[in-house]
Amino acid sequence: MENKILVLFEKKHLTGLVEDIYDLLGINEVYYLSNFTTGSGSIFSLISKLKKKNNLVIFLDYRHLILQPILLMSNLHNNKNFFIQHGHFEKNIKRNLYNRGFNWFLFSFFSFIFFIIYDKQNCSYLKKIKIGINYFRFGSEVSIRKIKKTYKIDHAFLINKKSKRILEDDLQDSVVKSSIVGSLDKNFFKFNPNGSVLYISQPLHQTGHVSFLNYSKYICDLIKSNDSLFFLIHPKLKKDPILKYIDKSRRITTDHLRTTTFRKIIGHFSSILLGIDKRIQLVLEYKIGDDILEEAKTFNPYDTIRNDDVFNDILKKIKIDY
């Protein structure tokens, strides 16, 4: 019987769609890369586990600096690496370093040191330092292209053709096989010409896309201009200070989507919009104060299919490869 391992960044990420992946794929163990995680689920416990060989390791990210040595370690010890795309790939990245929080800097520094010590693909320490500086300045999405990659991802499961092109551009020959399986999100928006108006929140101030000040002002302006507007609360915003601007009566979660209908949706580039019903009026806003979301300008939610049997399809393919 295969031992399925799921690799995440933090414990709080095991929610929403990620929790669906954990349940529906029958994951046995979860490990967390965060420097705040200690004990049996820590990154150092993961290294020990990978040395025991023949694990089936599922990654939900491949770009991050800290993952580069982990992916290679997994290969070297005869484990199988699988990548499952659970969110939208950004290509038009423009983030302000000053919008990042203290924990991001702390984890980034930890990732940089871990990369320097454990990476065996880029032998020159000078090159590793240059990659690390690139990572701090531009993020993982840019620095991944500067890294020499000798590891393999045995099978990548992607949501659409655009994502496949981005993955192949990032990893080149490191992907053995890839499959387009459609959106993983089991929640969807039901159309009704008399339905509600909804805003899809994203943790944009946490990821450095916008400042907290600009995002909070944007939220307040949305509320003023839409008396009956509802907010779909992103899992990462459940305990965020931004919620103080949104009355509890306006907040909904993905559980409400089964019983609510919509005529109009406002958003940016959230993956939950992929495969949306074309009858719903969709407004993609790219300007938040003086911050510009370049990705929202080119985001196309209509180029992705919805697959009700997506997890069974992934499981079948994993069993064939494993």
PDB file of all heavy atoms in Angstrom, residues 6-7 61 70 72 105 124 151 177 189 205 224 278 286 302-303:
ATOM      1  N   LEU A   6       1.475  14.648   1.807  1.00  0.00           N
ATOM      2  CA  LEU A   6       1.113  15.972   1.288  1.00  0.00           C
ATOM      3  C   LEU A   6       2.054  16.998   1.905  1.00  0.00           C
ATOM      4  O   LEU A   6       2.247  17.028   3.123  1.00  0.00           O
ATOM      5  CB  LEU A   6      -0.340  16.303   1.645  1.00  0.00           C
ATOM      6  CG  LEU A   6      -0.864  17.679   1.198  1.00  0.00           C
ATOM      7  CD1 LEU A   6      -0.857  17.797  -0.324  1.00  0.00           C
ATOM      8  CD2 LEU A   6      -2.273  17.912   1.739  1.00  0.00           C
ATOM      9  N   VAL A   7       2.650  17.841   1.069  1.00  0.00           N
ATOM     10  CA  VAL A   7       3.585  18.872   1.534  1.00  0.00           C
ATOM     11  C   VAL A   7       2.921  20.247   1.423  1.00  0.00           C
ATOM     12  O   VAL A   7       2.511  20.661   0.338  1.00  0.00           O
ATOM     13  CB  VAL A   7       4.895  18.844   0.711  1.00  0.00           C
ATOM     14  CG1 VAL A   7       5.850  19.943   1.184  1.00  0.00           C
ATOM     15  CG2 VAL A   7       5.555  17.476   0.806  1.00  0.00           C
ATOM     16  N   ASP A  61       2.773  23.175  -4.793  1.00  0.00           N
ATOM     17  CA  ASP A  61       3.572  24.280  -5.315  1.00  0.00           C
ATOM     18  C   ASP A  61       4.891  23.682  -5.792  1.00  0.00           C
ATOM     19  O   ASP A  61       5.320  22.634  -5.305  1.00  0.00           O
ATOM     20  CB  ASP A  61       3.823  25.327  -4.216  1.00  0.00           C
ATOM     21  CG  ASP A  61       4.456  26.614  -4.742  1.00  0.00           C
ATOM     22  OD1 ASP A  61       4.692  26.700  -5.967  1.00  0.00           O
ATOM     23  OD2 ASP A  61       4.725  27.522  -3.935  1.00  0.00           O
ATOM     24  N   ILE A  70      14.010  20.041  -1.630  1.00  0.00           N
ATOM     25  CA  ILE A  70      13.086  18.973  -1.212  1.00  0.00           C
ATOM     26  C   ILE A  70      12.695  18.090  -2.399  1.00  0.00           C
ATOM     27  O   ILE A  70      12.670  16.851  -2.297  1.00  0.00           O
ATOM     28  CB  ILE A  70      11.820  19.577  -0.555  1.00  0.00           C
ATOM     29  CG1 ILE A  70      12.166  20.283   0.758  1.00  0.00           C
ATOM     30  CG2 ILE A  70      10.758  18.508  -0.329  1.00  0.00           C
ATOM     31  CD1 ILE A  70      12.612  19.363   1.868  1.00  0.00           C
ATOM     32  N   LEU A  72      14.399  17.522  -5.095  1.00  0.00           N
ATOM     33  CA  LEU A  72      15.543  16.687  -5.473  1.00  0.00           C
ATOM     34  C   LEU A  72      15.778  15.564  -4.465  1.00  0.00           C
ATOM     35  O   LEU A  72      16.013  14.415  -4.851  1.00  0.00           O
ATOM     36  CB  LEU A  72      16.804  17.543  -5.602  1.00  0.00           C
ATOM     37  CG  LEU A  72      18.070  16.773  -6.027  1.00  0.00           C
ATOM     38  CD1 LEU A  72      17.864  16.102  -7.383  1.00  0.00           C
ATOM     39  CD2 LEU A  72      19.274  17.690  -6.057  1.00  0.00           C
ATOM     40  N   PHE A 105       8.844  37.685   5.796  1.00  0.00           N
ATOM     41  CA  PHE A 105      10.285  37.920   5.786  1.00  0.00           C
ATOM     42  C   PHE A 105      11.023  36.850   6.590  1.00  0.00           C
ATOM     43  O   PHE A 105      12.087  36.381   6.188  1.00  0.00           O
ATOM     44  CB  PHE A 105      10.601  39.317   6.338  1.00  0.00           C
ATOM     45  CG  PHE A 105      10.359  40.419   5.355  1.00  0.00           C
ATOM     46  CD1 PHE A 105       9.206  41.180   5.410  1.00  0.00           C
ATOM     47  CD2 PHE A 105      11.274  40.680   4.345  1.00  0.00           C
ATOM     48  CE1 PHE A 105       8.976  42.193   4.492  1.00  0.00           C
ATOM     49  CE2 PHE A 105      11.053  41.695   3.422  1.00  0.00           C
ATOM     50  CZ  PHE A 105       9.901  42.455   3.493  1.00  0.00           C
ATOM     51  N   SER A 124      27.532  26.562  -6.993  1.00  0.00           N
ATOM     52  CA  SER A 124      28.216  27.796  -6.613  1.00  0.00           C
ATOM     53  C   SER A 124      27.423  28.550  -5.547  1.00  0.00           C
ATOM     54  O   SER A 124      26.241  28.850  -5.730  1.00  0.00           O
ATOM     55  CB  SER A 124      28.398  28.689  -7.847  1.00  0.00           C
ATOM     56  OG  SER A 124      28.715  30.002  -7.475  1.00  0.00           O
ATOM     57  N   TYR A 151      15.894  17.742 -10.636  1.00  0.00           N
ATOM     58  CA  TYR A 151      14.848  16.854 -10.129  1.00  0.00           C
ATOM     59  C   TYR A 151      13.789  16.602 -11.199  1.00  0.00           C
ATOM     60  O   TYR A 151      13.777  17.259 -12.257  1.00  0.00           O
ATOM     61  CB  TYR A 151      14.194  17.451  -8.871  1.00  0.00           C
ATOM     62  CG  TYR A 151      13.570  18.815  -9.068  1.00  0.00           C
ATOM     63  CD1 TYR A 151      12.348  18.983  -9.718  1.00  0.00           C
ATOM     64  CD2 TYR A 151      14.199  19.955  -8.573  1.00  0.00           C
ATOM     65  CE1 TYR A 151      11.782  20.227  -9.887  1.00  0.00           C
ATOM     66  CE2 TYR A 151      13.646  21.211  -8.735  1.00  0.00           C
ATOM     67  CZ  TYR A 151      12.432  21.345  -9.397  1.00  0.00           C
ATOM     68  OH  TYR A 151      11.873  22.590  -9.577  1.00  0.00           O
ATOM     69  N   LYS A 177       5.527  13.908 -17.072  1.00  0.00           N
ATOM     70  CA  LYS A 177       4.198  13.792 -17.674  1.00  0.00           C
ATOM     71  C   LYS A 177       3.283  14.863 -17.098  1.00  0.00           C
ATOM     72  O   LYS A 177       3.421  15.252 -15.931  1.00  0.00           O
ATOM     73  CB  LYS A 177       3.619  12.405 -17.357  1.00  0.00           C
ATOM     74  CG  LYS A 177       2.363  12.029 -18.141  1.00  0.00           C
ATOM     75  CD  LYS A 177       1.763  10.720 -17.633  1.00  0.00           C
ATOM     76  CE  LYS A 177       2.694   9.543 -17.767  1.00  0.00           C
ATOM     77  NZ  LYS A 177       2.039   8.278 -17.347  1.00  0.00           N
ATOM     78  N   PHE A 189     -20.884  28.694  -8.910  1.00  0.00           N
ATOM     79  CA  PHE A 189     -21.864  29.768  -8.769  1.00  0.00           C
ATOM     80  C   PHE A 189     -23.070  29.495  -9.661  1.00  0.00           C
ATOM     81  O   PHE A 189     -22.927  29.292 -10.866  1.00  0.00           O
ATOM     82  CB  PHE A 189     -21.232  31.111  -9.140  1.00  0.00           C
ATOM     83  CG  PHE A 189     -19.980  31.406  -8.360  1.00  0.00           C
ATOM     84  CD1 PHE A 189     -18.728  31.255  -8.943  1.00  0.00           C
ATOM     85  CD2 PHE A 189     -20.048  31.815  -7.041  1.00  0.00           C
ATOM     86  CE1 PHE A 189     -17.574  31.515  -8.227  1.00  0.00           C
ATOM     87  CE2 PHE A 189     -18.896  32.082  -6.315  1.00  0.00           C
ATOM     88  CZ  PHE A 189     -17.664  31.928  -6.908  1.00  0.00           C
ATOM     89  N   HIS A 205      -3.410  41.748   0.349  1.00  0.00           N
ATOM     90  CA  HIS A 205      -2.476  42.502   1.194  1.00  0.00           C
ATOM     91  C   HIS A 205      -1.472  41.567   1.878  1.00  0.00           C
ATOM     92  O   HIS A 205      -0.371  41.987   2.230  1.00  0.00           O
ATOM     93  CB  HIS A 205      -3.238  43.317   2.240  1.00  0.00           C
ATOM     94  CG  HIS A 205      -4.127  42.495   3.115  1.00  0.00           C
ATOM     95  ND1 HIS A 205      -5.211  41.803   2.622  1.00  0.00           N
ATOM     96  CD2 HIS A 205      -4.099  42.222   4.446  1.00  0.00           C
ATOM     97  CE1 HIS A 205      -5.803  41.154   3.610  1.00  0.00           C
ATOM     98  NE2 HIS A 205      -5.143  41.390   4.732  1.00  0.00           N
ATOM     99  N   LYS A 224     -20.103  50.759   0.258  1.00  0.00           N
ATOM    100  CA  LYS A 224     -20.870  52.004   0.085  1.00  0.00           C
ATOM    101  C   LYS A 224     -21.639  52.031  -1.231  1.00  0.00           C
ATOM    102  O   LYS A 224     -22.752  52.541  -1.308  1.00  0.00           O
ATOM    103  CB  LYS A 224     -19.924  53.204   0.144  1.00  0.00           C
ATOM    104  CG  LYS A 224     -19.404  53.520   1.535  1.00  0.00           C
ATOM    105  CD  LYS A 224     -18.419  54.689   1.483  1.00  0.00           C
ATOM    106  CE  LYS A 224     -17.795  54.939   2.845  1.00  0.00           C
ATOM    107  NZ  LYS A 224     -16.763  56.010   2.798  1.00  0.00           N
ATOM    108  N   LYS A 278     -21.142  31.640 -17.926  1.00  0.00           N
ATOM    109  CA  LYS A 278     -21.020  32.867 -18.716  1.00  0.00           C
ATOM    110  C   LYS A 278     -22.231  33.786 -18.598  1.00  0.00           C
ATOM    111  O   LYS A 278     -22.165  34.966 -18.961  1.00  0.00           O
ATOM    112  CB  LYS A 278     -20.777  32.522 -20.190  1.00  0.00           C
ATOM    113  CG  LYS A 278     -19.413  31.907 -20.446  1.00  0.00           C
ATOM    114  CD  LYS A 278     -19.197  31.648 -21.919  1.00  0.00           C
ATOM    115  CE  LYS A 278     -17.816  31.055 -22.172  1.00  0.00           C
ATOM    116  NZ  LYS A 278     -17.564  30.799 -23.609  1.00  0.00           N
ATOM    117  N   TYR A 286      -8.904  45.553 -11.622  1.00  0.00           N
ATOM    118  CA  TYR A 286      -7.448  45.472 -11.525  1.00  0.00           C
ATOM    119  C   TYR A 286      -6.820  46.654 -10.789  1.00  0.00           C
ATOM    120  O   TYR A 286      -5.618  46.636 -10.508  1.00  0.00           O
ATOM    121  CB  TYR A 286      -6.827  45.360 -12.929  1.00  0.00           C
ATOM    122  CG  TYR A 286      -7.056  46.561 -13.819  1.00  0.00           C
ATOM    123  CD1 TYR A 286      -6.200  47.669 -13.764  1.00  0.00           C
ATOM    124  CD2 TYR A 286      -8.121  46.596 -14.713  1.00  0.00           C
ATOM    125  CE1 TYR A 286      -6.401  48.771 -14.577  1.00  0.00           C
ATOM    126  CE2 TYR A 286      -8.328  47.693 -15.522  1.00  0.00           C
ATOM    127  CZ  TYR A 286      -7.465  48.772 -15.451  1.00  0.00           C
ATOM    128  OH  TYR A 286      -7.671  49.874 -16.252  1.00  0.00           O
ATOM    129  N   TYR A 302     -12.791  31.707 -18.438  1.00  0.00           N
ATOM    130  CA  TYR A 302     -13.608  30.878 -19.336  1.00  0.00           C
ATOM    131  C   TYR A 302     -12.797  29.834 -20.103  1.00  0.00           C
ATOM    132  O   TYR A 302     -13.355  29.081 -20.898  1.00  0.00           O
ATOM    133  CB  TYR A 302     -14.350  31.780 -20.324  1.00  0.00           C
ATOM    134  CG  TYR A 302     -15.211  32.821 -19.657  1.00  0.00           C
ATOM    135  CD1 TYR A 302     -14.917  34.173 -19.785  1.00  0.00           C
ATOM    136  CD2 TYR A 302     -16.305  32.450 -18.874  1.00  0.00           C
ATOM    137  CE1 TYR A 302     -15.706  35.142 -19.156  1.00  0.00           C
ATOM    138  CE2 TYR A 302     -17.090  33.407 -18.239  1.00  0.00           C
ATOM    139  CZ  TYR A 302     -16.777  34.743 -18.384  1.00  0.00           C
ATOM    140  OH  TYR A 302     -17.551  35.696 -17.752  1.00  0.00           O
ATOM    141  N   ASP A 303     -11.462  29.787 -19.870  1.00  0.00           N
ATOM    142  CA  ASP A 303     -10.648  28.816 -20.607  1.00  0.00           C
ATOM    143  C   ASP A 303     -10.394  27.539 -19.807  1.00  0.00           C
ATOM    144  O   ASP A 303      -9.511  26.757 -20.129  1.00  0.00           O
ATOM    145  CB  ASP A 303      -9.311  29.449 -21.026  1.00  0.00           C
ATOM    146  CG  ASP A 303      -8.424  29.819 -19.836  1.00  0.00           C
ATOM    147  OD1 ASP A 303      -8.902  29.671 -18.686  1.00  0.00           O
ATOM    148  OD2 ASP A 303      -7.283  30.256 -20.046  1.00  0.00           O
TER     149      ASP A 303
END
